[in-house]
Amino acid sequence: MKEVLLVGGGNMAWHLAPQLSDRQLEVTVLRARSRETRELWPVRQIVWDQLDEVRPNLLILAVADDAIGPISERLATVFPPETFVLHTSGATPAGSINEHFLHRGVLWPIRSLVKGGTVHPWTETPLVYFAETEDLRGSLKRLVEDLSQLTYFLGDAQRSTLHLCATISNNFVNALYQMSYQLCEEQDIPFAALLPIIRATAERQTPGPPKRWQTGAAFRGDTATMERHLQQLEEQPQLAAVYRLLSDLIAKQ
């Protein structure tokens, strides 16, 4: 794989483009329209009517999950079946790529990526990959191992489960941080006071079961404290419902 066409202009494409370029790959970004300045995209950009200018060995579809099928169908009218094609979704089967292409796979970084943000170091970002054919698997394995020290070959079902776990561990936890932030703000309490305990909880995690580190009122059965907390949430029934649900989950672990 020497020439890569990266389809998309969002967070994933923004982060992948320079990483691939740094590995001596010739990267071109295909966008619906060029909006960002070239300073933000240190690789060549093209739009759809310029596709005849590129001959990629690898297509990477860094697009929304529901766009993988339609976009790969459109690309199937331009590029030959032998072209390697990947998407970057954790929750979508490799088979969502149009069946015109013989070598379909997945490259999914387990990381919350925000355009303009920094991933440091990229070599410590877990990369999940999958390939339907041995030809693609060998080439993709070499690529991901060049990008990261943490690589995992997982099939569609395993990857979907891992995506669910990442949603719980990352997106849901961040939503709980936001709940705490709002409560602090209402009482003029600095949210910064919670940052050390947030960091400590994350940093003590190991490959073993996280319940080893569980503490708090629900864990020790302190119903008096839990009732006081719920009284504080009387005017916020949605937060109170979350508190009850999570407390019950902790008590039953």
Side-chain angles (χ1 to χ4, degrees):
M1 295 184 289
K2 183 64 177 176
E3 186 173 347
V4 179
L5 181 64
L6 183 57
V7 183
N11 297 329
M12 184 70 72
W14 194 90
H15 282 275
L16 269 180
Q19 294 300 323
L20 296 172
S21 181
D22 287 348
R23 271 67 181 183
Q24 308 306 310
L25 296 173
E26 185 178 340
V27 180
T28 301
V29 173
L30 171 63
R31 301 172 50 78
R33 54 188 179 277
S34 293
R35 289 177 294 183
E36 276 74 15
T37 64
R38 293 190 180 275
E39 286 72 25
L40 289 177
W41 292 83
V43 296
R44 181 189 180 196
Q45 295 181 66
I46 63 171
V47 291
W48 282 91
D49 59 8
Q50 296 174 290
L51 275 180
D52 59 351
E53 300 176 11
V54 294
R55 293 290 183 271
N57 312 108
L58 172 64
L59 304 175
I60 301 180
L61 310 182
V63 298
D65 292 10
D66 59 1
I68 293 170
I71 287 179
S72 62
E73 181 178 7
R74 187 174 178 183
L75 292 169
T77 65
V78 180
F79 299 112
E82 296 77 17
T83 308
F84 291 170
V85 186
L86 310 174
H87 69 61
T88 59
S89 168
T92 307
S96 62
I97 297 169
N98 190 272
E99 61 185 9
H100 164 81
F101 295 107
L102 303 176
H103 305 282
R104 303 179 296 183
V106 179
L107 171 59
W108 173 48
I110 309 179
R111 194 72 174 244
S112 285
L113 300 173
V114 178
K115 189 183 294 186
T118 301
V119 175
H120 181 76
W122 186 269
T123 53
E124 295 181 8
T125 296
L127 296 181
V128 175
Y129 69 105
F130 176 70
E132 290 186 335
T133 65
E134 287 301 318
D135 285 347
L136 176 56
R137 179 171 180 171
S139 297
L140 186 52
K141 183 176 187 292
R142 288 189 291 273
L143 175 61
V144 297
E145 289 180 350
D146 193 24
L147 289 168
S148 175
Q149 299 171 5
L150 304 172
T151 65
Y152 304 90
F153 184 85
L154 299 178
D156 287 336
Q158 290 174 303
R159 190 178 64 258
S160 180
T161 298
L162 186 58
H163 188 270
L164 169 61
C165 294
T167 298
I168 294 170
S169 302
N170 177 49
N171 305 127
F172 288 2
V173 169
N174 195 69
L176 295 176
Y177 293 157
Q178 179 62 25
M179 288 171 54
S180 296
Y181 179 88
Q182 291 173 339
L183 291 170
C184 285
E185 193 173 49
E186 290 170 4
Q187 297 294 324
D188 196 27
I189 301 169
F191 181 69
L194 293 173
L195 295 182
I197 195 172
I198 289 173
R199 294 192 186 101
T201 301
E203 289 171 358
R204 70 163 58 110
Q205 299 306 322
T206 66
K211 68 180 182 180
R212 293 178 302 166
W213 310 111
Q214 191 68 60
T215 60
F219 178 74
R220 62 179 182 267
D222 185 351
T223 55
T225 296
M226 294 166 65
E227 285 301 321
R228 284 195 295 272
H229 288 167
L230 288 169
Q231 288 173 10
Q232 291 177 271
L233 296 173
E234 282 182 346
E235 296 182 4
Q236 301 187 63
Q238 188 176 37
L239 298 190
V242 172
Y243 184 97
R244 288 191 180 93
L245 181 64
L246 292 178
S247 295
D248 185 58
L249 177 66
I250 291 170
K252 292 179 178 178
Q253 283 182 336

